[in-house]
Amino acid sequence: MIEAVIVPARPDDAETIAALARVIWHLHYPAIISRAQIDYMLTQRYAPELLRRQIGSIGHHWDRLLLDGVLIGFAHCFVNGSEMKLDKLYIHPGHQRKGYGGKLIAHAVMAAQDAGCARLLLAVNKHNENAIAAYRKHGFEVVEEVVRDIGDGFVMDDYIMAREVGRDRRE
């Protein structure tokens, strides 16, 4: 059996990450948000030049999940004061429910611990039931509900979920 590995992203991975994000979002999100909002958010959050800047920035952690050298997932988190925000975590639908998401979560928890953060936070669409269940399985709890205008008439209707990452809680 081939083991999936997590490796840091490099700026030249930006196009590959953006392409995987497009595939994942267009397979997963049409049941949750409109295609117009999907395209808008992909443009806002996954432009390769933006990814390259973030990948090279201090305090940002971009990781790739590779299976036999092929990108099947990625995660992005960043330090925000005493907390770390898990901003993105995606696994190709063909590789979900195999423990890969949990592997990326555990990696983010360790990054938060190493950065001295007390909590790991994330935002998840209130209608993304599979993701909410997965995050709960890994110790996250809903701490807030937010509706945020993201422009062009679109909103994000999310739960903010959090979990403590005390130094003695390595997964």
Side-chain angles (χ1 to χ4, degrees):
M1 183 171 159
I2 300 168
E3 178 78 16
V5 296
I6 297 172
V7 298
R10 303 173 314 253
D12 62 346
D13 295 318
E15 283 81 7
T16 307
I17 291 169
L20 180 58
R22 279 190 301 278
V23 168
I24 293 169
W25 278 55
H26 281 286
L27 289 173
H28 181 75
Y29 283 109
I32 298 172
I33 59 177
S34 71
R35 289 197 182 272
Q37 184 167 344
I38 291 168
D39 291 337
Y40 177 78
M41 292 179 72
L42 285 169
T43 300
Q44 295 297 312
R45 289 166 171 73
Y46 290 96
E49 53 278 359
L50 170 66
L51 298 182
R52 276 191 288 280
R53 278 194 313 271
Q54 285 182 347
I55 290 168
S57 295
I58 294 172
H60 285 264
H61 302 272
W62 272 93
D63 292 301
R64 298 176 299 142
L65 180 68
L66 304 176
L67 184 63
D68 198 22
V70 176
L71 180 70
I72 63 165
F74 60 89
H76 167 237
C77 52
F78 60 88
V79 175
N80 185 14
S82 65
E83 300 172 327
M84 181 167 278
K85 168 105 186 266
L86 179 54
D87 190 48
K88 297 170 180 67
L89 188 149
Y90 291 98
I91 305 294
H92 187 282
H95 296 283
Q96 291 177 355
R97 293 181 174 67
K98 297 178 182 178
Y100 299 134
K103 189 171 182 144
L104 282 171
I105 289 170
H107 194 76
V109 167
M110 288 193 309
Q113 290 170 334
D114 291 346
C117 296
R119 290 195 316 167
L120 184 61
L121 299 172
L122 60 88
V124 60
N125 185 288
K126 291 177 187 172
H127 302 288
N128 195 345
E129 295 171 4
N130 290 340
I132 292 166
Y135 291 131
R136 286 187 190 282
K137 176 182 169 186
H138 291 282
F140 287 86
E141 296 177 1
V142 173
V143 296
E144 187 179 356
E145 295 183 31
V146 297
V147 176
R148 191 166 44 101
D149 183 331
I150 59 169
D152 257 17
F154 300 116
V155 298
M156 289 177 50
D157 187 13
D158 291 341
Y159 290 127
I160 304 300
M161 299 183 78
R163 70 164 279 179
E164 302 302 313
V165 293
R167 296 205 69 65
D168 59 339
R169 253 189 103 177
R170 289 198 182 245
E171 294 191 356

mmCIF file of all heavy atoms in Angstrom, residues 23-35 38:
data_model
loop_
_atom_site.group_PDB
_atom_site.id
_atom_site.type_symbol
_atom_site.label_atom_id
_atom_site.label_comp_id
_atom_site.label_asym_id
_atom_site.label_seq_id
_atom_site.Cartn_x
_atom_site.Cartn_y
_atom_site.Cartn_z
ATOM 1 N N VAL A 23 -11.179 21.534 -9.573
ATOM 2 C CA VAL A 23 -11.803 20.215 -9.711
ATOM 3 C C VAL A 23 -12.654 19.900 -8.483
ATOM 4 O O VAL A 23 -13.827 19.531 -8.590
ATOM 5 C CB VAL A 23 -10.733 19.118 -9.919
ATOM 6 C CG1 VAL A 23 -11.325 17.725 -9.777
ATOM 7 C CG2 VAL A 23 -10.049 19.282 -11.273
ATOM 8 N N ILE A 24 -12.068 20.054 -7.304
ATOM 9 C CA ILE A 24 -12.769 19.726 -6.056
ATOM 10 C C ILE A 24 -14.013 20.593 -5.890
ATOM 11 O O ILE A 24 -15.102 20.088 -5.604
ATOM 12 C CB ILE A 24 -11.825 19.869 -4.849
ATOM 13 C CG1 ILE A 24 -10.725 18.795 -4.908
ATOM 14 C CG2 ILE A 24 -12.605 19.788 -3.538
ATOM 15 C CD1 ILE A 24 -9.594 19.006 -3.916
ATOM 16 N N TRP A 25 -13.860 21.891 -6.051
ATOM 17 C CA TRP A 25 -14.990 22.801 -5.831
ATOM 18 C C TRP A 25 -16.134 22.517 -6.805
ATOM 19 O O TRP A 25 -17.294 22.532 -6.417
ATOM 20 C CB TRP A 25 -14.519 24.254 -5.955
ATOM 21 C CG TRP A 25 -13.880 24.779 -4.711
ATOM 22 C CD1 TRP A 25 -12.830 24.251 -4.030
ATOM 23 C CD2 TRP A 25 -14.262 25.945 -3.996
ATOM 24 N NE1 TRP A 25 -12.525 25.016 -2.943
ATOM 25 C CE2 TRP A 25 -13.394 26.071 -2.904
ATOM 26 C CE3 TRP A 25 -15.243 26.904 -4.196
ATOM 27 C CZ2 TRP A 25 -13.484 27.110 -1.997
ATOM 28 C CZ3 TRP A 25 -15.335 27.956 -3.294
ATOM 29 C CH2 TRP A 25 -14.457 28.052 -2.200
ATOM 30 N N HIS A 26 -15.819 22.252 -8.079
ATOM 31 C CA HIS A 26 -16.881 22.014 -9.056
ATOM 32 C C HIS A 26 -17.535 20.646 -8.868
ATOM 33 O O HIS A 26 -18.685 20.452 -9.285
ATOM 34 C CB HIS A 26 -16.369 22.205 -10.484
ATOM 35 C CG HIS A 26 -16.276 23.649 -10.857
ATOM 36 N ND1 HIS A 26 -17.379 24.427 -11.131
ATOM 37 C CD2 HIS A 26 -15.205 24.473 -10.977
ATOM 38 C CE1 HIS A 26 -17.012 25.659 -11.406
ATOM 39 N NE2 HIS A 26 -15.691 25.717 -11.318
ATOM 40 N N LEU A 27 -16.869 19.714 -8.216
ATOM 41 C CA LEU A 27 -17.487 18.426 -7.888
ATOM 42 C C LEU A 27 -18.304 18.497 -6.602
ATOM 43 O O LEU A 27 -19.326 17.841 -6.479
ATOM 44 C CB LEU A 27 -16.415 17.339 -7.754
ATOM 45 C CG LEU A 27 -15.743 16.882 -9.042
ATOM 46 C CD1 LEU A 27 -14.587 15.944 -8.742
ATOM 47 C CD2 LEU A 27 -16.758 16.195 -9.959
ATOM 48 N N HIS A 28 -17.843 19.276 -5.625
ATOM 49 C CA HIS A 28 -18.440 19.256 -4.291
ATOM 50 C C HIS A 28 -19.481 20.338 -4.021
ATOM 51 O O HIS A 28 -20.532 20.064 -3.440
ATOM 52 C CB HIS A 28 -17.329 19.348 -3.229
ATOM 53 C CG HIS A 28 -17.840 19.320 -1.835
ATOM 54 N ND1 HIS A 28 -18.287 18.167 -1.240
ATOM 55 C CD2 HIS A 28 -18.006 20.303 -0.917
ATOM 56 C CE1 HIS A 28 -18.696 18.443 -0.004
ATOM 57 N NE2 HIS A 28 -18.537 19.731 0.207
ATOM 58 N N TYR A 29 -19.212 21.556 -4.400
ATOM 59 C CA TYR A 29 -20.016 22.683 -3.934
ATOM 60 C C TYR A 29 -21.315 22.990 -4.685
ATOM 61 O O TYR A 29 -22.142 23.732 -4.162
ATOM 62 C CB TYR A 29 -19.166 23.947 -3.842
ATOM 63 C CG TYR A 29 -18.282 23.942 -2.626
ATOM 64 C CD1 TYR A 29 -16.913 23.791 -2.750
ATOM 65 C CD2 TYR A 29 -18.823 24.067 -1.351
ATOM 66 C CE1 TYR A 29 -16.095 23.768 -1.632
ATOM 67 C CE2 TYR A 29 -18.021 24.039 -0.225
ATOM 68 C CZ TYR A 29 -16.650 23.893 -0.376
ATOM 69 O OH TYR A 29 -15.856 23.866 0.724
ATOM 70 N N PRO A 30 -21.579 22.485 -5.903
ATOM 71 C CA PRO A 30 -22.837 22.849 -6.562
ATOM 72 C C PRO A 30 -24.104 22.523 -5.750
ATOM 73 O O PRO A 30 -25.124 23.183 -5.928
ATOM 74 C CB PRO A 30 -22.805 22.063 -7.876
ATOM 75 C CG PRO A 30 -21.355 21.952 -8.177
ATOM 76 C CD PRO A 30 -20.702 21.735 -6.818
ATOM 77 N N ALA A 31 -24.045 21.567 -4.869
ATOM 78 C CA ALA A 31 -25.211 21.253 -4.028
ATOM 79 C C ALA A 31 -25.337 22.217 -2.853
ATOM 80 O O ALA A 31 -26.347 22.201 -2.145
ATOM 81 C CB ALA A 31 -25.106 19.817 -3.505
ATOM 82 N N ILE A 32 -24.309 23.067 -2.644
ATOM 83 C CA ILE A 32 -24.268 23.940 -1.467
ATOM 84 C C ILE A 32 -24.361 25.416 -1.844
ATOM 85 O O ILE A 32 -25.076 26.186 -1.207
ATOM 86 C CB ILE A 32 -22.983 23.665 -0.650
ATOM 87 C CG1 ILE A 32 -22.981 22.209 -0.155
ATOM 88 C CG2 ILE A 32 -22.853 24.636 0.512
ATOM 89 C CD1 ILE A 32 -21.680 21.769 0.491
ATOM 90 N N ILE A 33 -23.619 25.821 -2.878
ATOM 91 C CA ILE A 33 -23.631 27.213 -3.347
ATOM 92 C C ILE A 33 -23.748 27.217 -4.872
ATOM 93 O O ILE A 33 -23.518 26.191 -5.524
ATOM 94 C CB ILE A 33 -22.376 28.005 -2.885
ATOM 95 C CG1 ILE A 33 -21.083 27.351 -3.381
ATOM 96 C CG2 ILE A 33 -22.364 28.169 -1.370
ATOM 97 C CD1 ILE A 33 -19.804 28.111 -3.042
ATOM 98 N N SER A 34 -24.088 28.364 -5.435
ATOM 99 C CA SER A 34 -24.279 28.448 -6.889
ATOM 100 C C SER A 34 -22.941 28.328 -7.629
ATOM 101 O O SER A 34 -21.880 28.627 -7.086
ATOM 102 C CB SER A 34 -24.938 29.780 -7.247
ATOM 103 O OG SER A 34 -24.028 30.856 -7.057
ATOM 104 N N ARG A 35 -23.050 27.919 -8.882
ATOM 105 C CA ARG A 35 -21.836 27.846 -9.718
ATOM 106 C C ARG A 35 -21.201 29.223 -9.870
ATOM 107 O O ARG A 35 -19.978 29.343 -9.917
ATOM 108 C CB ARG A 35 -22.149 27.248 -11.080
ATOM 109 C CG ARG A 35 -22.450 25.769 -10.994
ATOM 110 C CD ARG A 35 -22.356 25.095 -12.351
ATOM 111 N NE ARG A 35 -22.691 23.696 -12.232
ATOM 112 C CZ ARG A 35 -21.810 22.744 -11.938
ATOM 113 N NH1 ARG A 35 -20.551 23.050 -11.736
ATOM 114 N NH2 ARG A 35 -22.186 21.482 -11.845
ATOM 115 N N ILE A 38 -19.211 29.749 -6.818
ATOM 116 C CA ILE A 38 -18.019 28.881 -6.868
ATOM 117 C C ILE A 38 -16.938 29.560 -7.705
ATOM 118 O O ILE A 38 -15.786 29.692 -7.278
ATOM 119 C CB ILE A 38 -18.370 27.496 -7.443
ATOM 120 C CG1 ILE A 38 -19.242 26.718 -6.454
ATOM 121 C CG2 ILE A 38 -17.100 26.715 -7.791
ATOM 122 C CD1 ILE A 38 -19.888 25.470 -7.035
#
